[in-house]
């Protein structure tokens, strides 16, 4: 559906005709205005009118309708097509979700198509309308503001994930007694969240570099420093993602190593108790063979002597294993 439609002239909003063709003609006739149309998950029928009036490329239209695209930048004859993936963090479930945001930039128009709930377009429009000096730069200002808002939110989400990672790290190195299986599952779940985050930030690096380079059509040359700033922020976000991924791999390795050490400790304890049980079993087995001719068999103190021997052996073995850390 159409969320908003307005003509911007000299950085100020003016309500245009309801017909797209008339609104675009008015924006082009002044020479210093542009039309901004915002859509949210439009149907093919709803988007047909936009496609016809603005002459959008059919491949770009197909991508905008079907979504599920990687971040990219495509240049067509009549427009520039950019795909971004906004990221949302849900603190209740500690999960990362992504939306999709498509931006068509032409000579006197901007069309934004939003899929999902992770696109901050309402806030971007309000911010731009409060800064007319930015809007004066035309459709390029909208593409810059949208990209800047999306990338800045990447950094915020990265900080939230860093906090969760520190909590997970503390859990892994906590004293023995926690559920190791649950911890491993949390690590793998967290790794999937970071992978989802990487799919949004990683592919966007190349489009941002192209936008900050000269010679790109439909992009104001004075906007290049601003896109370079967005590219710098994106580099920081990608470094955050890489750092999170490396730390997760290290935490997983440490967790597996801890589990191996604990299993070895358990095996040593089992072996120590088995050795302690073997000594009285051996002594009792020797004196339980019921042979007629055995030394000490008819000795009065044989029974207490054997019991004392067993106790002394057990005490000796216990102290030995305890000193070596096996018990």
């Amino acid at each position: 559906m159409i969320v908003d439609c307005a003509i911007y002239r000299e950085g100020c909003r003016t309500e245009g005709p309801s017909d797209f063709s008339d609104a675009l003609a008015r924006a082009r006739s002044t020479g210093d205005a542009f039309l901004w149309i915002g859509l949210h998950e439009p149907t093919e029928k709803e988007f047909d009118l936009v496609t016809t009036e603005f002459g959008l490329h059919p491949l770009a239209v197909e991508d905008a309708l079907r979504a599920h695209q990687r971040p990219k930048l495509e240049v067509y004859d009549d427009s520039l097509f950019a795909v971004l993936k906004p990221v949302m963090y849900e603190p209740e479930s500690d999960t990362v979700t992504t939306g999709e945001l498509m931006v068509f930039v032409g000579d006197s128009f901007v069309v934004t198509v939003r899929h999902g709930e992770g696109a901050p377009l309402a806030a971007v429009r309000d911010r731009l309308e409060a800064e007319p000096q930015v809007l004066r730069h035309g459709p390029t200002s909208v593409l810059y503001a949208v990209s800047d808002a999306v990338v800045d939110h990447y950094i915020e989400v990265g900080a939230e994930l860093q906090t969760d990672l520190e909590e997970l790290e503390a859990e892994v190195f906590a004293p023995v007694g926690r559920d190791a299986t649950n911890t491993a599952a949390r690590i793998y779940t967290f790794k999937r969240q970071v992978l989802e985050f990487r799919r949004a930030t990683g592919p966007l690096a190349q489009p941002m570099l192209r936008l900050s380079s000269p010679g790109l059509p439909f992009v104001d040359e004075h906007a290049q420093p601003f896109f370079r700033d967005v590219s710098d922020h994106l580099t920081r976000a990608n470094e955050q993602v890489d750092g999170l991924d490396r730390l997760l791999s290290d935490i997983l390795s440490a967790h597996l190593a801890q589990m191996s050490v604990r299993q070895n400790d358990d095996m040593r304890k089992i072996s120590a108790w088995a050795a302690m049980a073997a000594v009285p079993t051996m002594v009792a087995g020797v004196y339980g063979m019921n042979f007629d001719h055995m030394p000490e068999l008819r000795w009065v103190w044989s029974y207490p002597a054997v019991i004392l021997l067993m106790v002394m052996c057990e005490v000796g073995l216990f102290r030995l294993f305890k000193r070596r850390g096996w018990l």
Side-chain angles (χ1 to χ4, degrees), residues 10-275:
E10 291 295 326
C12 297
R13 178 182 178 125
T14 60
E15 298 300 330
S18 58
D19 184 75
F20 294 156
S21 181
D22 294 340
L24 182 59
R26 177 182 295 185
R28 284 174 172 168
S29 64
T30 60
D32 57 353
F34 69 94
L35 177 66
W36 182 0
I37 299 175
L39 301 100
H40 178 228
E41 297 182 356
T43 63
E44 186 174 350
K45 183 178 180 180
E46 291 173 336
F47 208 66
D48 281 343
L49 181 59
V50 178
T51 303
T52 303
E53 296 297 340
F54 294 96
L56 304 180
H57 196 280
L59 292 177
V61 171
E62 182 181 359
D63 290 343
L65 288 174
R66 294 186 178 181
H68 304 294
Q69 303 294 317
R70 298 174 76 249
K72 63 180 181 179
L73 180 68
E74 299 287 349
V75 179
Y76 297 103
D77 293 337
D78 298 322
S79 63
L80 191 71
F81 178 61
V83 179
L84 301 95
K85 293 183 76 70
V87 172
M88 295 294 292
Y89 175 77
E90 299 176 4
E92 295 81 9
S93 56
D94 294 337
T95 56
V96 171
T97 57
T98 58
E100 287 196 36
L101 184 57
M102 289 77 170
V103 183
F104 294 88
V105 178
D107 55 349
S108 300
F109 68 88
V110 176
V111 178
T112 54
V113 183
R114 178 166 60 95
H115 291 270
E117 300 300 327
L121 282 186
V124 170
R125 191 183 285 264
D126 293 340
R127 169 189 155 195
L128 282 174
E129 290 179 357
E131 299 177 350
Q133 69 278 8
V134 178
L135 270 175
R136 286 193 182 97
H137 294 284
T140 304
S141 63
V142 177
L143 180 57
Y144 158 71
V146 170
S147 304
D148 186 54
V150 170
V151 172
D152 283 348
H153 196 60
Y154 286 164
I155 297 176
E156 296 175 9
V157 173
E160 295 284 353
L161 290 175
Q162 182 66 41
T163 301
D164 287 347
L165 182 60
E166 291 173 359
E167 295 176 359
L168 182 60
E169 188 176 14
E171 179 179 330
V172 169
F173 293 102
V176 181
R178 294 182 178 269
D179 186 359
T181 304
N182 183 54
T183 301
R186 282 197 61 193
I187 295 174
Y188 277 111
T189 301
F190 202 114
K191 205 167 182 63
R192 290 190 64 85
Q193 303 304 317
V194 173
L195 178 61
E196 186 72 14
F197 194 13
R198 184 192 292 275
R199 288 173 179 168
T201 63
L204 189 58
Q206 188 61 33
M208 285 297 108
L209 287 176
R210 291 181 63 189
L211 286 169
S212 60
S213 302
L216 197 65
F218 307 108
V219 176
D220 190 337
E221 60 180 7
H222 299 292
Q224 293 169 16
F226 297 95
F227 283 112
R228 279 198 294 270
D229 181 67
V230 176
S231 182
D232 290 341
H233 290 179
L234 180 61
T235 300
R236 178 182 170 189
N238 280 321
E239 289 174 351
Q240 279 183 313
V241 175
D242 292 339
L244 289 170
D245 190 55
R246 285 194 300 270
L247 282 173
L248 273 173
S249 298
D250 293 341
I251 289 174
L252 180 60
S253 299
H255 176 64
L256 296 177
Q258 279 187 329
M259 291 183 64
S260 299
V261 170
R262 290 170 186 172
Q263 289 176 349
N264 290 336
D265 288 341
D266 292 340
M267 288 302 299
R268 287 191 300 180
K269 291 178 181 179
I270 294 172
S271 300
W273 286 111

Side-chain angles (χ1 to χ4, degrees), residues 279 304-319:
V279 172
V306 170
I307 296 298
L308 180 61
L309 175 64
M310 290 182 181
V311 171
M312 291 177 63
C313 290
E314 291 297 297
V315 171
L317 288 173
F318 181 83
R319 294 183 63 182

Side-chain angles (χ1 to χ4, degrees), residues 315-327:
V315 171
L317 288 173
F318 181 83
R319 294 183 63 182
L320 175 64
F321 292 142
K322 192 72 174 178
R323 186 166 62 246
R324 293 187 176 182
W326 286 35
L327 292 175

